[in-house]
Amino acid sequence: MLGRSLVPDQTPRQSTGVTTSADGPHYADQPSVGEPSRAPSASASAAETGPAETGQDGSGRVAGGDNLFGAHATTGTPRLALTFDDGPDPRYTPQVLALLREYDVRATFCVVGENAQNHPDLIQSIVDDGHTLCNHSWHHDVGLGTRSADAIRSDLLRTNAAIRAAVPNAPIVWYRQPGGAWTYPVVSVARQLGMTPLHWSVDPSDWELPGATKITATVLSQAAPGSVVLLHDAGGDRQGTMDALRRILPDLTARFELEALPTDPT
Ligand SMILES: [Zn+2]
């Protein structure tokens, strides 16, 4: 049946936003609760990027208003911050750490609680290398902000507990909502727990697998003083991101001072 072939295969990932397979968990950073993740295509990708993702101008603001509820989209200084989301992942996080070490760069890792629980050694390595940590929810729940304050609180606390099981004294003062799907309750609870909401200002949509060349071009053309750059070291095939990072780092380190987001945000 002809029409049938146009419908993407239905996989668990599309109905839940996450699936765990032999090569690890895959997260879909789609902006809307319950919105299925489809294979990127020229006609659909713009619409699917949706209102909760960053603006096309890289400002972190979106058309029609500010959906950030006060979340930080820039560093607030001339320095640029690289952020790596959805890990840790044993395939990619060590590659990122090695590259950052090669260029003497400190960054921020927004880790998923269940991945922290499964890979405490990688959490330890992140901290040992001088990078800072950011809570990215227990199960990469894009719809977390629509749940009750109690449910949000327990999710964030469970995630922090998994991180602290690996690194008992590491500060966790940032929270990044999966999909950038901020709501007033999730921002409020994060702040109550001592975490500052963290968005981004440069988004190459590397999770859509645009390829290393496009990821590199987007980051290098949009990077500016104060940028917070969103990249992923987990959640699927991240080889494109790894290859892009190798090209991005020499350029960015020549143009900017790069920093791990501070653990004492004001
Ligand atoms: Zn994410």
Side-chain angles (χ1 to χ4, degrees):
M1 170 174 171
L2 183 59
R4 181 77 180 165
S5 68
L6 299 174
V7 178
D9 290 342
Q10 295 301 305
T11 67
R13 171 183 179 175
Q14 290 168 338
S15 58
T16 64
V18 62
T19 185
T20 301
S21 59
D23 62 345
H26 292 245
Y27 298 107
D29 256 325
Q30 72 268 34
S32 302
V33 182
E35 178 180 335
S37 171
R38 301 177 204 92
S41 69
S43 61
S45 61
E48 286 172 23
T49 298
E53 295 287 352
T54 190
Q56 293 299 309
D57 62 357
S59 67
R61 302 295 166 133
V62 294
D66 178 352
N67 291 345
L68 301 183
F69 297 91
H72 288 213
T74 61
T75 63
T77 75
R79 293 186 290 274
L80 180 147
L82 295 179
T83 62
F84 296 93
D85 283 22
D86 297 2
D89 182 302
R91 293 162 298 176
Y92 301 114
T93 305
Q95 294 186 54
V96 171
L97 292 174
L99 278 167
L100 294 176
R101 215 175 292 130
E102 188 176 332
Y103 286 90
D104 195 25
V105 165
R106 247 64 63 196
T108 299
F109 288 76
C110 297
V111 300
V112 171
E114 61 180 354
N115 294 342
Q117 184 178 63
N118 290 333
H119 305 290
D121 52 321
L122 294 176
I123 297 289
Q124 181 74 60
S125 295
I126 289 168
V127 171
D128 286 349
D129 280 6
H131 307 296
T132 57
L133 294 168
C134 170
N135 181 320
H136 198 37
S137 85
W138 177 259
H139 192 60
H140 204 273
D141 185 353
V142 174
L144 185 62
T146 66
R147 303 186 195 283
S148 70
D150 283 348
I152 296 169
R153 187 175 296 107
S154 66
D155 184 294
L156 270 51
L157 286 172
R158 186 183 184 194
T159 301
N160 282 353
I163 295 170
R164 292 215 165 93
V167 284
N169 299 314
I172 310 163
V173 302
W174 299 97
Y175 173 73
R176 176 173 278 163
Q177 168 58 32
W182 297 104
T183 63
Y184 180 75
V186 81
V187 163
S188 299
V189 170
R191 287 194 185 281
Q192 286 165 14
L193 296 176
M195 294 183 284
T196 300
L198 174 66
H199 198 71
W200 57 81
S201 59
V202 175
D203 177 13
S205 296
D206 63 335
W207 59 274
E208 290 190 300
L209 310 180
T213 298
K214 188 144 187 284
I215 295 168
T216 302
T218 301
V219 171
L220 295 185
S221 65
Q222 295 186 8
S227 290
V228 175
V229 179
L230 172 64
L231 294 167
H232 294 81
D233 65 335
D237 181 354
R238 294 282 90 88
Q239 194 54 50
T241 302
M242 300 302 111
D243 295 342
L245 190 59
R246 185 171 286 284
R247 302 183 206 174
I248 287 166
L249 282 169
D251 184 296
L252 286 188
T253 52
R255 292 161 60 199
F256 303 99
E257 188 178 343
L258 273 59
E259 69 167 9
L261 286 162
T263 54
D264 56 347
T266 53

